Amino acid sequence: MINLFVVLLLFILPLIVFQFGISPYETPKIFVAQLIVFIFAIYSILTQKDFFAFPKDKVIFYALVGVCILLLIQIVVFRESSVVFGDVYRFQGLFFMFTMLIFSYVSARTRLTINPLYIFSLLVVHLILAFFLGTNEAHRSFGTLGEPNSLASYSLFLWPFILFDKKRLHKVFQFSTIFIVIGILYISGSRSALFALLAQSTYLGLLYKNIPQRLSVVAAVVVLSLSLLSPFFVQTYYENRADIWKGAFQAGITHPIIGSGFGNIHSAISHTRPYKITTLQNRIVDSAHNIFLDWWVQGGIVGFLLLVTMLTRTFIIFVKQKNKLYITLLVGLLGTFLFNPMSVSLHLCLWFLIGQALSKNTAHV
Amino acid sequence: MKLRLALVTLLVIIFASTLSNQVSIASANTVISSVLTPPVTQPVTSFAKSISGHVTFRFLGWFRGITHEDKVKDAANVKIEARNIFTNQKFITYTDSNGNYILGADAGKYLVSASYSNIPFAPGVRFVDLKNNKGNVNFQGFTK
């Protein structure tokens, strides 16, 4: 039953599209996700005997508690609906963050079991729907995720499940998966996903050459770090990330300790001086387009360090477990989170992985 | 078991009240068009507040008809501009096929106007003090 909740949130939710709120692609997903997480939490509290047992990894647990405390402080300090709920497109405010934390904790005890053939089918469905639903103004496919980068990132989250299952699936499926993923990346036009795929490939390639896990992970992280230089050399009118990052960094300095509040990022960035003299002068930026900068602006140095702690510890645990699947998933997610604001579906994937590290679960596919 | 039930009760109260508030916010920002709307793709297009309304054309002259339905039609592709009176920052959108529009903007004081070809609109300009989402900022253009 618990596995069902996780499967619903990670694999069915991205397909949900119906008219509600401003975006039929994002708004319904948020509400459905919050509802399912709420029911999941109630079910876990009432049925799991070890729900109140101390998780296996104390570092991540205390970091999660730290984030909770930070959110509670922000509720008291800011007391604005925009902070509690976030903007009307993404609704990624305090309430959203609490939902992610709860999901991470309750899903920690889940050992994900899913048939990789189902994952393959999902990939095919997403590719077909991406064609069917058309393209945006920049001629990029967005699929049911509603954003090209989210679509590409989600495909990078799916394909390792097929790659690492050698027992049940014929090799034809594994070869086909690579072409499907490349196809999705091509029609979505996501450069960040390309960097993420490169990082995943670097990690897997080094593993194949029997390079130790730690060095392979370090190499993947180096690739991701080098990719952060690209916006400073390639800039477009709509997505001037170098300017957004500068503005976000400056915005974080104005409230360096606890930040401007989760959900309050757009007003924080819009008041920074570097932002006002850039090509984004007459536009509103609703995200720093980098998860670390998002947490820096919204949570200050406290939030930033808590995020770094959780992600670093997650990597360490997966390396110790030699959990290649989860490392590949995390590298792929981080690669796209470094450049884009993400759909709720991808946030759930990320917090699921953190939850798995919290209870030191190994993947079972 | 008592602790679990207490925790569940607390969760239900907090979650239900917060989610219902969130639903009301989302509902207030529902796009009126019935077809799938463009996705949230451009990363720089999220606004904290919105101005919305309906624009119509009123056709002058007896030859157009007598009834209200003959005389007044929904006005598509009308340019709606909101100019912040202090910063001079402008936000622009266009009405859809039903004459409806939603214009995202930051909180502030705006002069909102409609324009389409050389058609005069009434009112010529509307003042909007945007603290929360503002609806019914309507215009009517006069043409033959």
Side-chain angles (χ1 to χ4, degrees):
Chain A
M1 186 67 181
I2 292 177
N3 190 61
L4 176 66
F5 284 114
V6 175
V7 167
L8 276 175
L9 287 166
L10 296 186
F11 301 111
I12 306 296
L13 183 75
L15 293 169
I16 292 175
V17 175
F18 62 86
Q19 185 63 61
F20 180 66
I22 281 187
S23 169
Y25 298 92
E26 186 64 11
T27 313
K29 287 187 180 68
I30 293 164
F31 286 89
V32 170
Q34 288 172 335
L35 195 58
I36 294 177
V37 169
F38 168 65
I39 297 170
F40 188 8
I42 300 293
Y43 179 84
S44 299
I45 292 170
L46 294 175
T47 60
Q48 282 187 336
K49 292 178 184 177
D50 60 345
F51 183 83
F52 294 108
F54 207 87
K56 288 181 182 173
D57 191 75
K58 292 180 184 177
V59 175
I60 294 181
F61 177 71
Y62 287 132
L64 288 176
V65 170
V67 175
C68 271
I69 294 171
L70 176 64
L71 297 178
L72 289 170
I73 291 172
Q74 289 188 345
I75 289 175
V76 172
V77 170
F78 296 109
R79 281 178 285 183
E80 296 169 16
S81 63
S82 61
V83 173
V84 175
F85 300 112
D87 64 65
V88 295
Y89 278 97
R90 300 186 198 281
F91 284 99
Q92 289 182 11
L94 294 176
F95 184 43
F96 176 85
M97 281 310 309
F98 271 119
T99 310
M100 294 299 112
L101 294 175
I102 291 169
F103 173 66
S104 191
Y105 185 80
V106 296
S107 68
R109 290 168 184 79
T110 308
R111 285 197 71 202
L112 182 63
T113 54
I114 186 161
N115 191 327
L117 189 60
Y118 174 70
I119 303 282
F120 180 82
S121 308
L122 259 184
L123 264 176
V124 173
V125 164
H126 276 287
L127 179 64
I128 293 170
L129 286 175
F131 277 111
F132 178 71
L133 289 170
T135 60
N136 64 4
E137 302 83 3
H139 307 293
R140 297 169 63 183
S141 295
F142 46 82
T144 57
L145 278 296
E147 287 177 312
N149 292 315
S150 293
L151 171 66
S153 178
Y154 188 64
S155 69
L156 294 183
F157 179 78
L158 290 180
W159 82 276
F161 285 98
I162 302 165
L163 179 73
F164 284 101
D165 180 85
K166 294 189 170 88
K167 294 178 185 176
R168 282 183 279 184
L169 280 186
H170 196 272
K171 281 187 181 177
V172 168
F173 288 99
Q174 291 173 345
F175 276 120
S176 306
T177 300
I178 297 168
F179 288 110
I180 294 171
V181 169
I182 291 172
I184 291 175
L185 260 61
Y186 178 74
I187 61 174
S188 66
S190 176
R191 286 167 295 182
S192 57
L194 207 56
F195 283 124
L197 181 62
L198 182 63
Q200 286 180 321
S201 304
T202 302
Y203 168 70
L204 294 170
L206 291 175
L207 275 188
Y208 182 76
K209 293 287 183 187
N210 295 320
I211 303 294
Q213 280 273 354
R214 290 181 188 181
L215 288 177
S216 302
V217 170
V218 167
V221 171
V222 166
V223 168
L224 289 178
S225 304
L226 288 174
S227 69
L228 289 172
L229 297 174
S230 62
F232 296 95
F233 297 102
V234 178
Q235 295 181 356
T236 65
Y237 178 72
Y238 283 110
E239 299 176 16
N240 199 332
R241 281 180 179 76
D243 285 333
I244 296 172
W245 289 351
K246 287 176 200 168
F249 183 75
Q250 291 287 335
I253 291 174
T254 59
H255 294 88
I257 309 297
I258 63 166
S260 304
F262 284 87
N264 222 7
I265 190 165
H266 107 277
S267 63
I269 292 179
S270 66
H271 290 113
T272 57
R273 196 166 175 77
Y275 160 77
K276 285 184 175 173
I277 61 173
T278 67
T279 55
L280 303 170
Q281 201 164 358
N282 293 320
R283 311 194 65 174
I284 305 297
V285 182
D286 67 341
S287 167
H289 291 253
N290 179 289
I291 187 172
F292 295 103
L293 284 174
D294 273 334
W295 278 63
W296 161 243
V297 174
Q298 298 176 114
I301 191 69
V302 173
F304 175 80
L305 289 176
L306 286 170
L307 179 69
V308 169
T309 303
M310 284 188 289
L311 290 175
T312 308
R313 185 68 187 161
T314 302
F315 263 120
I316 291 171
I317 289 169
F318 290 161
V319 168
K320 283 184 181 175
Q321 291 176 334
K322 296 184 182 175
N323 197 330
K324 302 172 197 171
L325 170 62
Y326 280 175
I327 291 173
T328 311
L329 295 178
L330 191 56
V331 166
L333 281 174
L334 272 183
T336 46
F337 269 97
L338 287 176
F339 290 92
N340 309 290
M342 279 295 166
S343 165
V344 60
S345 305
L346 280 308
H347 278 278
L348 286 167
C349 296
L350 180 67
W351 285 99
F352 169 75
L353 291 175
I354 293 174
Q356 293 295 288
L358 176 66
S359 58
K360 296 185 178 177
N361 270 340
T362 53
H364 176 71
V365 177
Chain B
M1 194 60 187
K2 284 181 183 175
L3 175 63
R4 291 172 191 259
L5 284 173
L7 189 56
V8 165
T9 307
L10 186 65
L11 263 180
V12 167
I13 293 169
I14 294 172
F15 191 87
S17 57
T18 313
L19 189 63
S20 61
N21 279 322
Q22 193 171 262
V23 167
S24 61
I25 291 171
S27 302
N29 286 281
T30 300
V31 176
I32 298 167
S33 169
S34 61
V35 298
L36 284 180
T37 53
V40 183
T41 52
Q42 293 175 8
V44 293
T45 54
S46 174
F47 304 97
K49 310 281 181 259
S50 65
I51 303 169
S52 60
H54 185 64
V55 182
T56 53
F57 285 143
R58 186 175 183 83
F59 293 97
L60 305 173
W62 60 271
F63 51 88
R64 279 287 183 174
I66 304 172
T67 65
H68 177 80
E69 286 75 22
D70 292 330
K71 290 277 197 183
V72 178
K73 303 287 183 189
D74 295 329
N77 295 318
V78 172
K79 180 182 175 184
I80 306 294
E81 183 181 290
R83 183 175 64 83
N84 189 302
I85 61 174
F86 295 115
T87 66
N88 224 31
Q89 191 174 11
K90 291 180 186 175
F91 298 93
I92 295 170
T93 191
Y94 292 83
T95 56
D96 62 18
S97 58
N98 295 318
N100 299 309
Y101 74 91
I102 291 181
L103 180 63
D106 227 355
K109 294 178 169 53
Y110 294 89
L111 293 175
V112 185
S113 59
S115 60
Y116 185 87
S117 189
N118 289 321
I119 293 175
F121 282 85
V125 68
R126 296 188 68 158
F127 174 75
V128 173
D129 187 2
L130 194 60
K131 293 176 184 173
N132 295 304
N133 295 330
K134 180 77 175 172
N136 295 317
V137 181
N138 303 327
F139 297 91
Q140 187 166 76
F142 298 89
T143 185
K144 289 183 179 176

